[in-house]
């Protein structure tokens, strides 16, 4: 089954993925991720239990998340949440 | 709490700050609640990795938080998005800082030593690094700053000496260069790492480098929650949940560090004899001055050969707002000369601490 995941961070030669809506944490080998993977990249992944079968960078999903989150950050910076 | 990072700081005037909150299920909220924290004056997210901000989401949803400070660098995880949502929902003041900024914290001030900017995409190295000075005690909170950030801080020639160091990046060898540790010169170093974590934190070379500084090293993987109490004359007291000096666990493995001197409700007490008149001639007057936490109930016993002194002036007292307490009493004319024991106790928040000293009665 294909799921979405996001790369939270790299720790040495390992990568910490947050998988699905609940952001279940799964640690995988960095080498198992596609070339060019960076922190914050959204991925389409397939797991068998916690073994990563496949991973593909989702550039469009990454851009969409970044845009949505950047808008929220901008609202905080402008203090709109304090003066609704 | 597993792998993650969180430090709770209580100022002498009772302000409460939380630097990072561990992972989402870190237990940090439970720790705060079980210690009677009903609101936070300041929350600092050093950087947006899930093992630092995950636990902040629940804290922000549950407790009033006056101010949230970040480095302004965004990431694309849902954890980070929920963190932003929680700040918005809480209505907290939102502030971004960089090197050279200060963060007021009651009667203390955090100095922001890093990051210089957040243009790079290395989230760890863009961690907010904070230094806090309280009289003769100093603290350095590294977040996950690695050696690149350390080198940048060193090159600025900023004051970085710290008696108490929250070690960078869970004790990873990517942080804690010998040059940096040599400049910090910590007396107490605390790293936060989950027992059996998959990253090998803390790395052996980091432990060796920390030990080489002469610091006492504590880690949340072996010590659980580490509590450091410090006062403005440079007296420290460290309590650990387990390990060399076990204490009753509040919430197992929350991995929280508490710093400066606080009221006894935190289970933290400091008691130190500052001075005592010695020697005193029979018929003379003696004074003992001590330092403890503000408001502590203090008692004194002076034991002569004939038993404990009944002199006026040796009645129990409360420490003043600075934690100072003193007693003055007359030494009777017929007091047997010699070296006599004085025992003082301080009680606050249901905890009692005892200190002993001697003074001489001259012939």
């Amino acid at each position: 089954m294909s799921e979405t995941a996001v790369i939270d961070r790299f720790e040495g030669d390992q990568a910490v993925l947050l998988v699905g809506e609940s952001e279940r944490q799964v640690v995988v080998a960095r080498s198992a991720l596609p070339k060019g993977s960076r922190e914050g990249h959204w991925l389409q992944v397939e797991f068998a239990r916690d073994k990563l079968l496949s991973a593909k960078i989702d550039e469009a999903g990454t851009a969409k998340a970044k845009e949505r989150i950047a808008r929220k950050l901008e609202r905080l910076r402008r203090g709109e949440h304090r003066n609704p | 709490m597993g792998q993650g990072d969180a430090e709770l700081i209580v100022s002498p005037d009772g302000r409460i700050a939380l630097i990072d909150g561990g992972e989402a299920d870190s237990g940090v909220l439970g720790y705060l609640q079980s210690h009677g924290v009903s609101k936070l004056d300041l929350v600092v997210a050093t950087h947006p990795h899930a093992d630092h901000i995950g636990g902040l989401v629940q804290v922000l949803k549950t407790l009033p938080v006056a101010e949230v400070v970040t480095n302004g660098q965004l990431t694309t995880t849902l954890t980070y998005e929920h963190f932003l949502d929680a700040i918005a929902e809480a209505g907290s003041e939102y502030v971004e800082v960089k090197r050279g900024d200060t963060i007021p914290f009651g009667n203390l001030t955090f100095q922001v030593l890093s990051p210089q900017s957040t243009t790079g995409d290395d989230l760890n190295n863009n961690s907010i690094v904070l230094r806090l000075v309280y009289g003769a005690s100093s603290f350095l909170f590294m977040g996950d700053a690695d050696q690149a950030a350390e080198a940048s801080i060193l090159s600025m020639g900023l004051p970085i000496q710290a008696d108490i160091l929250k070690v960078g990046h869970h004790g990873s060898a990517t942080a804690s260069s010998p040059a940096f540790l040599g400049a910090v010169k910590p007396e107490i170093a605390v790293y936060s790492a989950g027992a059996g974590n998959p990253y090998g934190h803390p790395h052996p070379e980091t432990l060796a480098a920390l030990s080489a500084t002469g610091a006492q090293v504590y880690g949340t993987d072996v010590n659980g929650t580490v509590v450091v109490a410090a006062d403005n004359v440079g007296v420290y007291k460290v309590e650990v949940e387990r390990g060399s000096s076990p204490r009753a666990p509040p919430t197992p493995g929350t991995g929280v560090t508490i710093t400066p001197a606080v009221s006894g409700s935190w289970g933290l007490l400091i008691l130190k004899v500052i001075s005592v008149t010695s020697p005193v001639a029979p018929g003379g007057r003696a004074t003992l001055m001590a330092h403890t936490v503000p408001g502590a109930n203090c008692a004194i016993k002076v034991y002569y050969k004939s038993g404990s002194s009944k002199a006026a002036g040796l009645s129990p007292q409360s420490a003043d707002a600075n934690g100072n307490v003193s007693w003055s009493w007359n030494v009777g004319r017929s007091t047997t000369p010699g070296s006599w024991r004085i025992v003082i106790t301080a009680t606050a928040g249901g905890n009692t601490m005892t200190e002993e000293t001697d003074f001489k009665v001259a012939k």
Side-chain angles (χ1 to χ4, degrees):
Chain A
M1 185 190 79
S2 178
E3 294 180 280
T4 57
V6 57
I7 303 173
D8 180 62
R9 63 189 187 274
F10 297 119
E11 297 283 3
D13 54 9
Q14 290 167 302
V16 180
L17 304 184
L18 302 176
V19 182
E21 283 280 311
S22 66
E23 299 222 308
R24 172 171 57 96
Q25 182 176 299
V26 181
V27 179
V28 302
R30 193 169 174 169
S31 59
L33 297 180
K35 258 203 160 71
S37 293
R38 291 195 310 273
E39 290 184 351
H41 260 144
W42 279 81
L43 308 170
Q44 282 298 323
V45 292
E46 276 185 283
F47 284 103
R49 296 221 180 97
D50 275 352
K51 185 172 163 47
L52 187 64
L53 297 180
S54 74
K56 189 164 167 275
I57 296 173
D58 178 0
E59 294 284 3
T62 303
K64 204 172 132 196
K66 190 169 181 179
E67 195 189 316
R68 186 182 68 240
I69 290 168
R71 268 201 310 275
K72 292 186 173 185
L73 182 58
E74 208 42 55
R75 278 204 293 274
L76 286 180
R77 284 173 174 160
R78 287 197 299 263
E80 285 172 15
H81 64 298
R82 289 167 67 78
N83 305 294
Chain B
M1 66 174 170
Q3 185 80 356
D5 213 83
E7 298 93 49
L8 182 71
I9 302 158
V10 183
S11 77
D13 57 351
R15 302 298 177 101
I16 304 180
L18 179 64
I19 303 178
D20 293 333
E23 294 178 335
D25 55 355
S26 63
V28 166
L29 176 63
Y31 183 92
L32 296 178
Q33 290 175 323
S34 71
H35 285 75
V37 176
S38 56
K39 65 183 180 65
L40 290 166
D41 298 286
L42 175 68
V43 163
V44 178
T46 61
H47 67 294
H49 280 151
D51 55 333
H52 292 252
I53 63 163
L56 292 179
V57 177
Q58 214 48 44
V59 169
L60 283 158
K61 282 182 174 174
T62 310
L63 302 177
V65 176
E67 181 182 2
V68 178
V69 172
T70 79
N71 64 4
Q73 184 160 37
L74 71 71
T75 187
T76 54
T77 62
L78 295 179
T79 298
Y80 178 72
E81 185 171 10
H82 296 155
F83 170 64
L84 297 186
D85 290 343
I87 298 169
E89 189 65 30
S92 312
E93 185 179 355
Y94 175 79
V95 176
E96 295 179 357
V97 297
K98 60 180 189 312
R99 177 177 295 161
D101 291 338
T102 57
I103 308 170
F105 177 51
N107 55 3
L108 305 179
T109 304
F110 285 104
Q111 305 287 333
V112 181
L113 304 187
S114 203
Q116 187 163 32
S117 74
T118 51
T119 47
D121 64 358
D122 186 327
L123 267 52
N124 283 334
N125 267 315
N126 291 337
S127 286
I128 293 176
V129 174
L130 296 172
R131 185 165 180 265
L132 182 69
V133 175
Y134 174 46
S137 300
S138 48
F139 307 82
L140 191 61
F141 301 96
M142 293 301 296
D144 274 0
D146 279 329
Q147 294 193 13
E150 292 172 359
S152 170
I153 293 168
L154 277 177
S155 73
M156 297 298 292
L158 301 165
I160 60 168
Q161 189 278 324
D163 306 316
I164 296 146
L165 171 68
K166 199 298 289 181
V167 176
H169 200 172
H170 317 284
S172 168
T174 53
S176 299
S177 70
F180 189 77
L181 293 181
V184 175
K185 299 189 196 71
E187 292 186 22
I188 295 165
V190 185
Y191 66 84
S192 179
N197 69 79
Y199 323 114
H201 297 156
H203 292 144
E205 50 270 56
T206 306
L207 290 178
L210 289 170
S211 294
T213 66
Q216 299 171 40
V217 181
Y218 296 88
T220 60
D221 53 347
V222 292
N223 296 121
T225 301
V226 179
V227 179
V228 182
D231 75 3
N232 59 354
V233 291
V235 180
Y236 315 113
K237 189 178 170 208
V238 181
E239 289 185 11
V240 296
E241 191 180 322
R242 55 179 184 272
S244 56
S245 166
R247 64 192 286 266
T251 305
T254 44
V256 177
T257 307
I258 301 180
T259 32
V262 294
S263 70
S265 63
W266 290 84
L268 300 177
L269 258 183
I270 290 171
L271 180 60
K272 189 188 181 187
V273 176
I274 303 296
S275 66
V276 62
T277 314
S278 182
V280 182
R285 196 159 172 82
T287 297
L288 180 142
M289 294 172 68
H291 185 76
T292 178
V293 297
N297 293 317
C298 302
I300 186 168
K301 286 272 186 191
V302 180
Y303 294 98
Y304 298 125
K305 189 176 183 187
S306 58
S308 71
S309 173
K310 306 277 194 298
L314 293 176
S315 50
Q317 295 192 35
S318 290
D320 69 15
N322 295 314
N324 293 319
V325 61
S326 70
W327 292 270
S328 291
W329 69 99
N330 291 324
V331 176
R333 290 185 184 284
S334 55
T335 303
T336 308
S339 181
W340 303 115
R341 194 161 60 101
I342 302 176
V343 178
I344 57 174
T345 59
T347 303
N351 292 291
T352 298
M353 189 173 171
T354 301
E355 279 286 299
E356 290 193 23
T357 189
D358 297 317
F359 83 127
K360 278 197 168 61
V361 174
K363 285 183 181 165

